[in-house]
Amino acid sequence: MMSDHQSVLKAHLTDDNLAKLTAVNNPKMHRFIAEAITLCKPERVFVCTDDPVDIAYLREGALTHGEEQHLETEGHTIHFDGPKDMARDKGNTKYLLPEGTVLSDRINSTGKEAGLSEITGFFKDSMAGKEMLVCFFCLGPTDSEFSVSCLQITDSFYVAHSETILYRPGYEQFKLIGDSPDFFRFLHSAGELDGRNCSTHVDKRRIYIDLDDQIVYSVNTQYAGNTVGLKKLALRLAIRKAAREGWLAEHMFLMGVRGPAGRASYFTGAFPSACGKTSTSMISGQTILGDDLAYLRKRGGSVYAANVESGIFGIIQDVNAHDDPVIWDALTSPGEVIFSNILISDNRPYWLGMGKDVEIPETGENYQGRYKKGKTGADGKELPYAHKNARYTIRISQLKNRDAMADAPEGVSVRGIIFGGRDSDTCVPVEQAFDWAHGIITKGASLESESTAATLGKEGVRNFDIMSILDFLSMPLGEYINNYLEFSVDLPNIPSIFSVNYFLKDGDGNYLNSKLDKKAWILWAELRANGDIDAVRAPTGFIPKYADLKQIFDTALKSAYSEDDYALQFAVRVPEHLAKLDRIEKVYRSEQNIPQAVWDTFKAQRERLLTAQEKHGVQHISPFDLA
Ligand code: SPV
Ligand code: MN
């Protein structure tokens, strides 16, 4: 006898689409799709396999349904999310937990039963008159130990199209896992659409995450950070899966840093949004595997990492021909590019910070609708011509600096992990931790940054952001740190840990570094991770010797590096570091079950700072005095 869900599928799918589904014998997957059909009542259902014809159908659909429009350059399209839907909605993103439980005061959650009933109400009939798209993708390279199979159901061609760029196709991968119940599920509906095909009911925007069942529901929104299941929604599920299975799922880029004689040393890096993550992974002369998400696993005593994604959903503001030649090239050459929330005029794209050579037109279409220079918002202030969190979506394969190992199923061996935030007065431009625990605790778990336009809310406030993953953390902070600390146990080949800070300022508010200097810091980290050079032992970690930096600036940047610059940039700022310790300890005191190693490490760091201050008799200790 046919089960209920099979009869639903048979009743709603054409023979062709049904055949595609039944070729993958996974009852849990079939049931989920049938339940989604019953709930959302789509007019049609399309099943996307890995066949390029199916993938092209999604791209074309985004255009024919008006979710994207063609631009002048071949393959380029523009998508608008709607004026109130251009960032991750932190307030309405919640974990569904058993009544009365919480993960942390910093992590949003709601009772599972009430949450499910609320969101189910929003999904009811949400796809009436629309086509349901059933897509299969894979997080990480397919057929590898990194692979996580994902089922995405959405009624947005833009979301599905974006995912075909950002992720590896996963239909064949689903065949590999057979009837395994271990896969992630994402159900999305943009809900009712307005005249510009943007979600109408953003007041009813909800993103609810069911950790036990590995399902994320997203409704009444289109912004990719809220809707593209495989991005930050999957990260939340992957963090739990990783902790259960003894690996790490991280908000990190993955890049190849070139050392002497072309040596490639692979680094991952965690930076909160708009803190230089993409630009670090794009430093000239280096190679990129991914700019946002990495999985790290142990194998044969070393750590291996793979890029979870195959594309980039990047912030477009300030991408210009001079500072970002590789991305600029991809964004101005024929090929598949989705721009979002920028200004369009005469079918050409314009964004903030494009560079002085580009003349911005006075009229066009932008995130608000028709644009005319001088247009003001409700507060009477002139509106920018493009949104600050406007984005581009491209494949990594469109980048000239793609690393040859970008899709290697075995991943790449990790030499170093970099934590970077936004900090105008405390941390030196680059520093190596004394060891794994010191780095995890005083760098990763102590990361702070100023807020940016990538999330709704106020900008410019200094925020704690553990491993730059707080927005996505799906377990108590103590457990998350513990998973990191345990990861290094019995690991002979432990990656070195570094912090970077590109945002130090002088007393007048001027940056102490140029944008290009980050290359010097990363090349120094590469040499240190390979044990090639010595360093100066500061109270907070190992900092570069002046002579080594001078040499790197000379050869790699072809610029002079003065002793004065070094002395300013690498001074140990004792009161600022003590204040940072105060802030971070306060955070952890408000959390439960923090590992003892955290307190011990903070205490030791504080003592080293105080001892050094006493010994040198100054608050800011020159690095020359430490050598
Ligand atoms: C980020 O904000 O960290 C991003 C973009 O990478 S989003 O998809 O919105 O998370
Ligand atoms: Mn990110």
Side-chain angles (χ1 to χ4, degrees):
M1 218 188 81
M2 205 182 280
S3 70
D4 280 357
H5 61 263
Q6 281 168 329
S7 40
V8 171
L9 295 178
K10 209 165 172 355
H12 289 84
L13 270 65
T14 60
D15 290 349
D16 177 32
N17 282 296
L18 189 64
K20 293 187 215 169
L21 265 197
T22 43
V24 184
N25 184 18
N26 189 309
K28 180 173 167 179
M29 180 266 284
H30 290 166
R31 191 176 325 115
F32 187 67
I33 298 168
E35 285 166 2
I37 292 172
T38 308
L39 176 63
C40 305
K41 303 242 167 43
E43 192 174 298
R44 291 180 301 282
V45 180
F46 174 74
V47 177
C48 186
T49 69
D50 300 350
D51 186 334
V53 173
D54 283 359
I55 290 167
Y57 178 82
L58 300 178
R59 185 171 62 235
E60 288 308 314
L63 290 158
T64 50
H65 289 80
E67 291 187 58
E68 294 174 32
Q69 301 156 41
H70 276 299
L71 295 177
E72 184 184 64
T73 306
E74 199 196 320
H76 291 199
T77 57
I78 169 73
H79 164 81
F80 292 108
D81 289 310
K84 292 188 182 141
D85 195 24
M86 290 177 287
R88 277 188 273 114
D89 183 350
K90 290 209 234 179
N92 284 309
T93 302
K94 296 179 186 169
Y95 295 100
L96 301 173
L97 301 180
E99 215 63 54
T101 40
V102 289
L103 298 171
S104 151
D105 289 347
R106 294 178 170 78
I107 303 178
N108 263 344
S109 58
T110 187
K112 180 162 171 171
E113 219 170 292
L116 271 181
S117 124
E118 181 194 19
I119 204 156
T120 309
F122 293 158
F123 272 110
K124 197 167 177 309
D125 304 340
S126 61
M127 298 187 189
K130 296 204 240 172
E131 185 161 358
M132 173 184 276
L133 308 170
V134 175
C135 308
F136 303 91
F137 296 104
C138 184
L139 293 164
T142 51
D143 197 10
S144 78
E145 69 171 336
F146 296 101
S147 312
V148 178
S149 301
C150 295
L151 168 63
Q152 168 85 61
I153 301 178
T154 176
D155 58 6
S156 164
F157 280 91
Y158 159 71
V159 169
H161 176 207
S162 298
E163 286 180 320
T164 65
I165 296 174
L166 294 172
Y167 302 94
R168 296 160 178 109
Y171 179 77
E172 296 303 324
Q173 173 71 25
F174 255 86
K175 288 188 180 163
L176 290 179
I177 68 166
D179 60 3
S180 163
D182 189 16
F183 57 92
F184 293 173
R185 294 173 281 177
F186 307 101
L187 177 61
H188 166 251
S189 172
E192 193 182 299
L193 302 177
D194 65 15
R196 294 180 86 205
N197 291 301
C198 302
S199 298
T200 312
H201 300 294
V202 284
D203 55 316
K204 297 195 177 103
R205 175 172 53 208
R206 299 289 184 273
I207 301 103
Y208 285 175
I209 303 124
D210 183 339
L211 293 169
D212 291 336
D213 291 333
Q214 303 192 123
I215 304 176
V216 184
Y217 305 91
S218 162
V219 70
N220 293 317
T221 174
Q222 278 179 325
Y223 174 67
N226 295 326
T227 58
V228 165
L230 278 86
K231 205 170 192 40
K232 297 312 199 313
L233 311 184
L235 176 61
R236 297 159 183 278
L237 303 178
I239 289 168
R240 297 281 279 225
K241 183 175 167 65
R244 273 196 312 271
E245 299 172 358
W247 49 281
L248 304 172
E250 296 302 320
H251 187 205
M252 289 177 175
F253 68 58
L254 181 55
M255 71 185 289
V257 182
R258 303 288 142 171
R263 172 177 69 200
S265 303
Y266 290 99
F267 278 73
T268 63
F271 297 54
S273 297
C275 285
K277 182 147 147 259
T278 305
S279 61
T280 302
S281 62
M282 299 297 299
I283 291 174
S284 69
Q286 323 308 311
T287 47
I288 184 170
L289 294 87
D291 87 317
D292 199 39
L293 302 170
Y295 290 167
L296 286 77
R297 283 179 172 266
K298 295 188 275 189
R299 193 189 316 131
S302 294
V303 176
Y304 286 82
N307 177 23
V308 172
E309 310 182 282
S310 60
I312 298 184
F313 175 59
I315 295 179
I316 202 165
Q317 179 172 357
D318 294 334
V319 171
N320 62 67
H322 179 258
D323 296 329
D324 312 278
V326 180
I327 300 178
W328 179 266
D329 203 43
L331 297 185
T332 51
S333 307
E336 215 169 331
V337 182
I338 310 176
F339 294 91
S340 65
N341 306 328
I342 56 167
L343 171 68
I344 301 301
S345 187
D346 283 335
N347 278 333
R348 294 198 191 109
Y350 299 91
W351 57 89
L352 301 173
M354 261 180 114
K356 51 186 180 329
D357 300 339
V358 183
E359 200 179 319
I360 306 301
E362 302 206 341
T363 57
E365 186 187 359
N366 74 1
Y367 60 103
Q368 296 267 352
R370 295 261 3 120
Y371 169 77
K372 192 167 186 322
K373 192 174 162 50
K375 187 171 174 177
T376 51
D379 57 3
K381 286 200 194 127
E382 185 168 342
L383 292 165
Y385 57 86
H387 195 260
K388 284 171 80 77
N389 193 33
R391 300 259 172 171
Y392 61 86
T393 302
I394 55 170
R395 288 198 177 81
I396 305 235
S397 58
Q398 286 164 270
L399 298 175
K400 293 206 172 72
N401 58 349
R402 173 185 176 275
D403 191 280
M405 298 291 282
D407 291 303
E410 68 274 28
V412 291
S413 162
V414 178
R415 302 289 324 152
I417 299 178
I418 304 168
F419 292 107
R422 255 181 195 267
D423 161 359
S424 56
D425 60 6
T426 309
C427 299
V428 293
V430 64
E431 183 174 63
Q432 182 185 15
F434 296 128
D435 54 40
W436 178 263
H438 178 251
I440 293 311
I441 294 165
T442 69
K443 300 192 178 303
S446 301
L447 210 50
E448 291 179 305
S449 83
E450 286 163 13
S451 56
T452 71
T455 53
L456 300 176
K458 211 166 147 209
E459 284 178 52
V461 180
R462 180 145 42 182
N463 287 314
F464 162 78
D465 191 357
I466 178 172
M467 317 295 181
S468 90
I469 211 165
L470 184 61
D471 279 0
F472 319 109
L473 203 54
S474 50
M475 60 171 60
L477 279 68
E479 266 178 54
Y480 174 73
I481 295 174
N482 218 28
N483 184 42
Y484 253 104
L485 296 176
E486 280 177 9
F487 188 70
S488 74
V489 173
D490 298 331
L491 190 64
N493 213 344
I494 298 181
S496 305
I497 297 184
F498 300 87
S499 58
V500 294
N501 175 25
Y502 306 146
F503 304 96
L504 263 187
K505 289 180 178 171
D506 66 16
D508 299 327
N510 304 309
Y511 285 112
L512 288 183
N513 294 105
S514 100
K515 278 190 183 176
L516 296 176
D517 294 358
K518 53 173 87 77
K519 181 169 183 173
W521 317 143
I522 301 302
L523 293 180
W524 179 80
E526 198 276 342
L527 294 173
R528 280 296 293 171
N530 285 285
D532 287 2
I533 49 171
D534 291 336
V536 178
R537 195 181 167 94
T540 48
F542 296 114
I543 60 174
K545 289 185 159 175
Y546 171 68
D548 292 326
L549 285 183
K550 184 172 165 21
Q551 164 99 29
I552 293 172
F553 271 87
D554 268 358
T555 51
L557 286 154
K558 308 268 177 288
S559 70
Y561 186 60
S562 74
E563 293 193 1
D564 285 351
D565 277 346
Y566 173 72
L568 261 178
Q569 295 161 4
F570 286 91
V572 181
R573 297 161 176 83
V574 177
E576 289 83 349
H577 269 291
L578 293 173
K580 179 178 168 83
L581 276 168
D582 288 346
R583 287 192 299 273
I584 304 296
E585 280 183 332
K586 188 166 170 230
V587 167
Y588 286 109
R589 271 200 301 275
S590 69
E591 295 289 333
Q592 309 293 316
N593 300 321
I594 296 303
Q596 186 56 38
V598 171
W599 308 119
D600 296 347
T601 304
F602 287 151
K603 183 160 178 270
Q605 178 113 326
R606 189 182 290 277
E607 281 167 9
R608 281 190 302 271
L609 284 159
L610 288 168
T611 308
Q613 176 167 270
E614 201 172 320
K615 176 173 167 202
H616 295 278
V618 286
Q619 298 196 320
H620 289 185
I621 306 166
S622 164
F624 286 114
D625 293 339
L626 294 169

